[in-house]
Amino acid sequence: MRNDEIAGVLEEIADMLEMTGENFFRVRAYRNAARTVQDYPAPLSGLSREKIDALPGIGADLAEKIATLAAGCEVPLHARLKKTFPAGLLELRTLPGLGPKRIKLLHDRLKISSLDDLHRALDAGQLRTIPGFGAKSEERLLKALESRTAAPAEKRWPRHEAAAIAHELLAWIKTARGVENLAIAGSLRRGRETVGDIDLLAASSDAAAVMERFLSFPAVERRLGAGETKASVVLRGGLQVDLRAIESESWGAALIYFTGSKAHSVHLRKIAQGAGLLLNEYGLFRGKRRIAGADEDGVYKALGLRPIPPELREDRGEIEAAAGRGHLPHLITASDLRGDLHAHSNWTDGRATIEQMARGAHERGLEYFALTDHSRRLAMAHGLDPVRLREQRKEIERVAGRVGIRILRGIEVDILDDGELDLPDRALAELDWVVASVHSKLGDDEKTMTRRLVRAIRNRHVDSIGHPSNRLIGKRERSHFDFTEVLKAARDEGCALEVNSQPDRLDLTDTDCLAAKHAGVKLVIASDAHAPHDFDGLAGGVLQARRGWIEPGDVLNTLPVDELLSRR
Ligand code: DGT
Ligand code: CA
Ligand code: CA
Ligand code: ZN
């Protein structure tokens, strides 16, 4: 079993114990164990029994269960609980704001033990008779129930995975006879965080040769359609790829058409119509005469528009701005980042030494980075207390001298249940950079989570909020909080919000970035690196920010380190 699966079983046991009214300490032991396992930096299935017994904060009985799970076997307690427990009750946990305590309450008071029971009780307005449930939670639960009965959304793929495959495809197709131009189009080119498929465009004097080469790509599993100028395939693993071949004189127009978004293209066509022109994938035409089409910029220009970067093409005002009504941003690029402001080492849950991290950052041209290991509450990550923080400071000084990169002494401090921080102010005051993040009780209701975030922001030592929404793409919804309130507090306090570049986080989202910019809140684009190669992920965070109209001046780590620190 993988660590996250083991942790899942332990959580499930904890939930079931809690719902049966088991004593608090026993429940908590399982939860702590789940966290320890979840955040353990290496697969537990590869560990010896001695190592498992030595996991911090875990007793003999739990170690035994973890070892059993790691070996892929069933734990008798889990099997027993599952047998006696209504399966529907467990399913209730997947709804927002329903933890074991509240589920037990619903079960005890209203005999609710399945999603159907809950739906009926909601329809009958019974929930608001239970203390702690109001009209608002009724509304949220109804919405959650309804969204689950809707048709399952089509599968979408993480952008970085699709991008890697797309580049292999480009390298493969490039060698076909007659290829004059080749590019990624569609949502992948626009930098969306997930993509439905890969869209490729080729300009070629020999479309048949391009198609043939494409269809012979080794990972192609099946063909969905193959014509003279277009083909679609499904690759092993299920990802679809569409390829269109066109002639070079249409390259720009076709690239605009197949890059989309559809909304952007529709708007462009309307502008063309208004000017008595026709825009399609072959070009921009006045009557029968093609007045533009070979290159993108030329098409935009002929429509009276400045060139629009693909990341902006969502019809969110970019066309008006390109026409001179509004500000078309000079988007940030990866080379604008001088430093990184969130990185870990093996002092907590990172996989590399401080020195390896420093060399990794240095090799990638960063002028500085903040070492922000976890605070003590994340016990499984061996979180730092004030004593170890001071020890770490010495090591940082030693490494910085050897590697020739500025290392900011930082912390990723946990935001606790009520928004207080996991380390005392006087420990934080000694640091150069403080990231505060929520890692627990992500399912808190909106009011609680808003209060936690705002309180952390109001702490004068906190420089930025890490992965503010805590969503995991495709896996975990964002936490509920009032983003407007959070932005207000952040602007008042001069606290930055992070664009976390981890590919499954990308948190803030593109539209969050835009909202932050409008609210006058600064961003940090950070890697959250746990190993040196993670610094490469910064490019993904930059792409996300570009989709949010972000310019270099909106991002703190474009600043030279001295300016950055003098702002504090
Ligand atoms: P995806 O694949 O769901 O992540 O999103 P896209 O934007 O890549 O959509 P896709 O693959 O269906 O089509 C690629 C591009 O082709 C799209 O961005 C715009 C263009 N396109 C596709 N269908 C239409 C259409 O019906 N009208 C217009 N104007 N353009 C279209
Ligand atoms: Ca697509
Ligand atoms: Ca497509
Ligand atoms: Zn974190």
Side-chain angles (χ1 to χ4, degrees), residues 154 156 185-188 190 192 194-199 242 256-263 265-266 269:
E154 50 149 348
R156 297 190 64 83
S187 53
L188 189 54
R190 302 198 311 279
R192 278 194 63 181
T194 61
V195 302
D197 64 2
I198 294 176
D199 301 286
D242 296 344
I256 289 175
Y257 183 92
F258 292 109
T259 297
S261 65
K262 197 170 156 184
S265 304
V266 167
R269 249 177 305 168

Side-chain angles (χ1 to χ4, degrees), residues 342 344 374 378 412 437-439 467 500 505 528:
H342 185 165
H344 297 270
H374 287 285
L378 284 189
E412 180 179 14
S437 309
V438 173
H439 290 114
H467 42 77
N500 187 296
R505 287 197 184 269
D528 197 358

Side-chain angles (χ1 to χ4, degrees), residues 450-558:
T450 307
R451 193 173 60 232
R452 291 173 74 188
L453 289 168
V454 166
R455 208 170 142 198
I457 289 168
R458 298 240 185 259
N459 181 304
R460 64 198 169 88
H461 300 296
V462 170
D463 297 295
S464 107
I465 300 294
H467 42 77
S469 88
N470 265 307
R471 65 96 176 249
L472 290 178
I473 296 174
K475 281 189 225 135
R476 185 169 74 206
E477 292 297 317
R478 62 194 281 135
S479 290
H480 295 284
F481 57 91
D482 183 337
F483 195 43
T484 311
E485 282 299 309
V486 167
L487 288 174
K488 244 190 260 162
R491 190 205 35 223
D492 290 351
E493 301 293 331
C495 179
L497 298 184
E498 176 179 273
V499 179
N500 187 296
S501 306
Q502 293 276 343
D504 58 344
R505 287 197 184 269
L506 293 173
D507 179 7
L508 306 174
T509 66
D510 53 0
T511 48
D512 289 340
C513 289
L514 191 58
K517 183 185 173 115
H518 283 316
V521 172
K522 296 289 183 207
L523 302 181
V524 157
I525 299 177
S527 68
D528 197 358
H530 285 68
H533 69 256
D534 288 341
F535 288 118
D536 295 328
L538 283 170
V542 169
L543 200 51
Q544 182 88 336
R546 285 170 65 86
R547 288 184 53 81
W549 294 54
I550 296 303
E551 301 173 279
D554 302 321
V555 177
L556 292 183
N557 47 320
T558 61

